[in-house]
Amino acid sequence: MTIPVNPDRFLKDLHDLRRFGASGVGKGVVRPAYSEADIAARDWLAGRMKAADLSVQVDPMGSVFGLCEGPSLLLGSHSDSQPEGGWLDGALGVIAALEVARAAREAGGPPVSCVSFQDEEGRFGVTTGSAAWSGALARDRLDSLVDPQGVTLPQARAAMGDRLGDWLDPARFTGFLEMHIEQGPVMDTSGEAVGVVEAIVGIRDMVITFEGQQNHAGTTPMALRKDAFQALSAFNALLNDRLRNVVTPATVWTIGHVTLLPNAHSIVPGKVKFSMQWRDGDAGRLDRMEAIIRETAQEVAATRGLEMSTGPMLGIAPVAMDAGFRAALSEAAEAEVPGRWRVMPSGALHDASNMARMMPAAMVFVPSIGGISHDFAEDTDEADLVTGLKVLAGAVTRIAG
Ligand code: HGY
Ligand code: MN
Ligand code: MN
Ligand code: MN
């Protein structure tokens, strides 16, 4: 049967979710995992699930499930945001999932459950909520995770109090589908409306620390300094040079968070802690990059007389999407927007990466205006949002009938 999704109801819920943590700049949101806004949004979402006659269960990480009875497909994404996030990254997939589950239930269609995973945006790691559920992140590591401000995961989770429940048995779900914005420029440039994801890149992420000697910025001769900022700067230049030999145009690496200590005009900085993240579709290349990163950091520290240390590494392996689910999405896309869709990889991480470890999983993308995401300016044309919803519903029909 065709699942009679309601585009107006879907768009209204999507805009209602945006009010939680609204940044006041464009449609942007500030809704990091376990913040007041995030928890309020999860409570609102639980209410919408109950109103749709789904039973709500929250797992030990704070991922919120809206369940129907018996085995079902699971649809969803995440409702936490980056520290400066867009209104669609994650939220779109959560509300599309809610709408398809709700419409299917009302019409006596196939059983569909929905979920908003917690901390996909990695306040405590990489897609933390779904990684912990799938085992990609060992559960005995959870208590040792710390955010960039020094808050531990157990401290942050405590804010969800007695909302937290037990892990769900993945065996109750027959597969996972996630709708998401592309977060890149490909479809916006080509004019296509839908992307069917073939594979999701792998990621590795760790913190590197250089520790030198804090000193007076007026009296310490340049040749005698053990300057942590200069070490980071030299490391970055050397690393970019060396990685060039092993990467492809699709490989990316980012130093996105830096803490320079003590961070004052007239003090030679004694310490720098920074995030080092790299992504590629090939696990062997991720290994080779890791070796170069570690060697280069070691070498720069040794040459300049600083100490170098690395924190625990987090990672998610590259993963292919399920062939049958991809075919269902492709058929649904062709039916909805003939010739205006493509098959493409995902350079962003998604909860679907972890779900693919436990059950068949696949993803559908809609375009991002200007290719902008992880920014308040992130947006997508309403017509594309609705097209994506219909393709998702069409794929559910083809998979679960
Ligand atoms: O960074 C990512 O790829 C994801 O948005 N957390
Ligand atoms: Mn996302
Ligand atoms: Mn994101
Ligand atoms: Mn002085």
Side-chain angles (χ1 to χ4, degrees), residues 33-373:
Y34 307 109
S35 62
E36 249 175 64
D38 169 58
I39 295 172
R42 285 173 193 279
D43 287 344
W44 170 82
L45 188 63
R48 297 303 287 155
M49 289 169 171
K50 280 181 197 146
D53 192 32
L54 298 163
S55 75
V56 172
Q57 194 171 324
V58 181
D59 81 3
M61 285 294 289
S63 298
V64 178
F65 293 77
L67 303 166
C68 53
E69 312 77 27
S72 69
L73 272 177
L74 180 64
L75 272 51
S77 189
H78 60 97
S79 53
D80 63 299
S81 85
Q82 286 287 331
E84 290 193 8
W87 73 297
L88 297 171
D89 180 357
L92 173 63
V94 170
I95 300 300
L98 170 67
E99 178 55 30
V100 174
R102 183 165 54 191
R105 198 158 181 81
E106 286 167 353
V112 179
S113 298
C114 55
V115 61
S116 168
F117 286 110
Q118 182 55 293
D119 198 25
E120 193 278 345
E121 297 292 10
R123 177 178 170 192
F124 290 98
V126 181
T127 61
T128 325
S130 54
W133 186 31
S134 73
L137 172 62
R139 290 186 195 159
D140 60 11
R141 290 184 69 184
L142 293 179
D143 286 357
S144 66
L145 298 176
V146 182
D147 81 356
Q149 278 68 45
V151 180
T152 67
L153 176 59
Q155 285 166 343
R157 251 159 75 189
M160 290 195 71
D162 58 13
R163 292 175 184 82
L164 301 178
D166 291 330
W167 295 109
L168 280 84
D169 179 0
R172 69 183 295 157
F173 303 113
T174 52
F176 178 73
L177 286 171
E178 179 170 5
M179 174 178 169
H180 208 282
I181 49 168
E182 179 198 325
Q183 309 184 272
V186 174
M187 284 191 279
D188 192 46
T189 306
S190 69
E192 287 151 324
V194 172
V196 174
V197 177
E198 55 186 341
I200 305 176
V201 297
I203 187 169
R204 304 227 178 136
D205 191 293
M206 66 182 176
V207 171
I208 301 180
T209 303
F210 287 128
E211 189 150 16
Q213 177 63 58
Q214 180 176 326
N215 212 334
H216 195 295
T219 58
T220 317
M222 296 309 285
L224 297 182
R225 292 185 182 197
K226 294 177 179 172
D227 181 326
F229 178 82
Q230 293 289 341
L232 170 56
S233 167
F235 166 76
N236 183 56
L238 199 54
L239 182 68
N240 287 346
D241 213 42
R242 290 179 174 177
L243 286 179
R244 221 160 270 143
N245 303 317
V246 298
V247 300
T248 74
T251 313
V252 292
W253 61 98
T254 307
I255 296 173
H257 188 273
V258 177
T259 308
L260 186 70
L261 295 166
N263 211 17
H265 288 222
S266 291
I267 303 180
V268 176
K271 187 169 173 176
V272 66
K273 275 174 90 158
F274 59 98
S275 61
M276 182 75 235
Q277 182 190 90
W278 60 108
R279 308 186 191 207
D280 193 84
D282 180 90
R285 188 170 293 107
L286 291 174
D287 285 342
R288 290 194 288 285
M289 293 175 76
E290 181 179 343
I292 292 170
I293 288 163
R294 289 185 187 278
E295 276 163 29
T296 305
Q298 199 63 61
E299 193 179 307
V300 165
T303 313
R304 294 171 170 263
L306 290 86
E307 297 296 322
M308 190 284 285
S309 58
T310 56
M313 199 173 66
L314 294 163
I316 305 274
V319 61
M321 298 287 89
D322 179 79
F325 280 19
R326 270 177 55 187
L329 285 165
S330 298
E331 276 178 32
E334 181 59 22
E336 202 59 46
V337 279
R340 286 189 56 229
W341 60 280
R342 71 161 62 207
V343 173
M344 64 187 298
S346 172
L349 259 289
H350 297 288
D351 294 305
S353 298
N354 297 309
M355 299 307 294
R357 291 170 67 99
M358 302 191 285
M359 60 190 78
M363 292 192 73
V364 58
F365 280 169
V366 292
S368 292
I369 296 171
I372 301 290
S373 186

